[in-house]
Amino acid sequence: YDLTRLFVGSEGSLGIVVRAVLALKPAPPRQLVLAAEFPSTAAACAAVCAIMARGHAPSLLELMDRTSVRAVNAYARMGLPETTEALLLAAFDTPDPAADLAAVGALCTEAGATEVVPADTEAESELLLKARRLTLTALEAVKSATMIDDVCVPRSRLADIFEGIAAIAAKHRLTIGVCAHAGDGNTHPTVCFDPADADEARRARESFDEIMALGLDLGGTITGEHGVGLLKRDWLARELGPVGLEMQRGIKHTFDPLGILNPGKVL
């Protein structure tokens, strides 16, 4: 539970929202997108850190690893460069997005990008974003099942988790594609496996657990946005520790003394 926004993100375990008062805001301007190709995930992650450290506020900052890029190529024949180790997408919906893209493009080049392609039009931007939007669909086509994680780490450790996941994939002989909401360090490793193959299914679950352990070792959290549910309950206990877990259970009992709200989930 997030104590600053208690109901938001509680996965229905504290109550049910029956009425909401919403604020209306003007639609943002159309965004422009930049794509940058890198020879390593470390270089791409260095660019991410530089972009955020300089105070830029992109509306989107997404990072795809080599496995994800190749899966999208195989699925949609998009012609993305097979030599790339990491593809970074940055977007701005500011009053002068072209200037923001130029500044970010320069930072990407300084970090070692081998190619930087800024879009000039909304249509070009949508084409660049298509690769990211197809990532999950493309990885689902690799095998008959996937396990999707959402481990979040500090931006300074983003390169470490990409490299660590690559090592876990090699160790377990599995395809694990990683894309990330890179601006906040939120990664989405997707483990591809065949559930009919008992050994492969076992290796998939072991790799999933090892990725969560890696995230905690890097100072992160087991869930950046997808929640705890059933699969991560034991890992939540490990992240919070006994005192933190007892506090969370106390909050749950205060709001749900009968244990009838989404029973068995989260805690």
Side-chain angles (χ1 to χ4, degrees), residues 85-162:
E85 292 293 319
L87 183 67
L88 183 65
L89 299 171
F92 285 89
D93 55 10
T94 52
D96 189 5
D100 289 313
L101 289 186
V104 165
L107 291 175
C108 289
T109 300
E110 289 176 16
T114 55
E115 187 170 2
V116 176
V117 181
D120 294 320
T121 66
E122 184 183 345
E124 290 178 357
S125 296
E126 285 300 309
L127 185 62
L128 291 176
L129 289 178
K130 183 179 178 181
R132 173 63 182 89
R133 291 172 177 155
L134 285 175
T135 300
L136 178 57
T137 303
L139 289 170
E140 286 175 337
V142 173
K143 289 279 186 174
S144 53
T146 58
M147 296 177 72
I148 306 172
D149 211 338
D150 66 322
V151 172
C152 191
V153 298
R155 278 195 299 270
S156 60
R157 308 308 300 271
L158 199 55
D160 295 324
I161 197 164
F162 268 87

Side-chain angles (χ1 to χ4, degrees), residues 3-66:
L3 298 185
T4 62
R5 302 175 303 158
L6 193 53
F7 262 59
V8 176
S10 66
E11 302 183 38
S13 62
L14 298 181
I16 300 169
V17 177
V18 295
R19 183 184 180 194
V21 178
L22 307 180
L24 298 179
K25 295 183 178 181
R30 296 295 185 182
Q31 63 182 2
L32 288 181
V33 178
L34 170 147
E37 179 188 350
F38 290 86
S40 70
T41 53
C45 293
V48 169
C49 291
I51 291 166
M52 303 306 292
R54 295 291 182 88
H56 294 289
S59 56
L60 174 147
L61 192 59
E62 299 287 303
L63 183 58
M64 298 169 59
D65 72 346
R66 173 181 59 185

